Amino acid sequence: MMDHFKEDIVSPRAKVLSNVLYVLCWVFIVLFGGYALMMLQVVMLQFSVTALVTVLMAAAFAVLLFFLKDNLKVEYEYTFTNGSLDFAKVFRQAKRKELGSMNVKNVSACGHVAGDSFRRYLAMKDVEKKNWFANRDGNLFYFYYVKESKKHMIIIEPSEEMVEMIRQYPVSYTHLRAHETS
């Protein structure tokens, strides 16, 4: 038996905006950090509650931007191996965060987001939805499953080649018909 393996890396198509925002983040990190250091000198020379609050706020903004900047350069990685799907989020092509794994045989329903079945599952009460895709206008695909009596839905952006591989594995209740791609 031949192994089925496919790895997809999905990047945002609109990279110009994320690149500009990333550079702006760094500019504001430097500006807020520099301002905090200058105001710290004022606090040291002549203590003032207002100046101290200003220092703390400027430093907090710089630190907050530092930790949030990586979210502007995000890619998603999907790895399909013999019926098992692994999901990861990659920041700046350097830092990787594992999102989870799923066996296709445990899926109750799956298909393209453009299909009617997606809206039916999305309208269900208490469904925990995870959006693991980079482009809202991409070829989005959903997986609905129940784990430990909790309803889950994962939405990803796989290639058509990966979708074809997934179709080869049995799903207990599947919506993988080709006409749902429209």
Side-chain angles (χ1 to χ4, degrees):
M1 182 173 124
M2 191 171 111
D3 283 343
H4 292 104
F5 176 80
K6 175 73 174 135
E7 184 177 73
D8 284 346
I9 298 174
V10 180
S11 302
R13 284 190 282 275
K15 289 187 179 189
V16 174
L17 179 61
S18 67
N19 287 340
V20 168
L21 290 173
Y22 188 78
V23 169
L24 279 174
C25 266
W26 272 110
V27 167
F28 281 107
I29 289 169
V30 170
L31 288 175
F32 281 125
Y35 184 72
L37 288 174
M38 287 189 320
M39 289 303 293
L40 187 60
Q41 288 178 340
V42 171
V43 170
M44 297 292 218
L45 294 174
Q46 183 179 0
F47 182 78
S48 162
V49 174
T50 307
L52 182 62
V53 169
T54 304
V55 167
L56 293 175
M57 286 183 63
F61 281 131
V63 169
L64 181 67
L65 285 173
F66 180 79
F67 286 112
L68 291 178
K69 72 179 174 6
D70 289 343
N71 287 324
L72 295 171
K73 296 211 174 218
V74 172
E75 296 176 325
Y76 288 93
E77 183 179 282
Y78 318 124
T79 307
F80 181 78
T81 309
N82 297 329
S84 179
L85 262 168
D86 297 316
F87 309 99
K89 193 175 189 178
V90 181
F91 301 93
R92 291 182 302 118
Q93 297 179 337
K95 198 168 45 171
R96 177 187 178 88
K97 177 184 176 188
E98 298 293 330
L99 297 173
S101 293
M102 176 182 69
N103 197 318
V104 176
K105 71 178 181 180
N106 297 330
V107 171
S108 299
C110 58
H112 290 279
V113 168
D116 291 332
S117 61
F118 170 72
R119 285 184 282 288
R120 183 173 63 240
Y121 288 106
L122 189 60
M124 293 174 106
K125 190 177 178 181
D126 300 328
V127 174
E128 183 181 318
K129 188 174 88 169
K130 297 172 185 149
N131 293 328
W132 294 338
F133 56 87
N135 302 294
R136 287 202 169 279
D137 61 343
N139 185 26
L140 302 181
F141 202 79
Y142 79 94
F143 296 94
Y144 172 81
Y145 62 96
V146 178
K147 182 178 179 182
E148 298 172 5
S149 71
K150 285 183 71 177
K151 302 171 190 171
H152 299 271
M153 183 181 291
I154 297 174
I155 302 169
I156 65 172
E157 189 179 355
S159 65
E160 279 301 318
E161 185 181 344
M162 184 176 282
V163 171
E164 288 302 318
M165 283 187 180
I166 293 169
R167 283 184 174 143
Q168 296 177 19
Y169 285 82
V171 175
S172 59
Y173 180 71
T174 182
H175 293 281
L176 288 169
R177 295 184 296 274
H179 73 275
E180 287 195 348
T181 59
S182 59

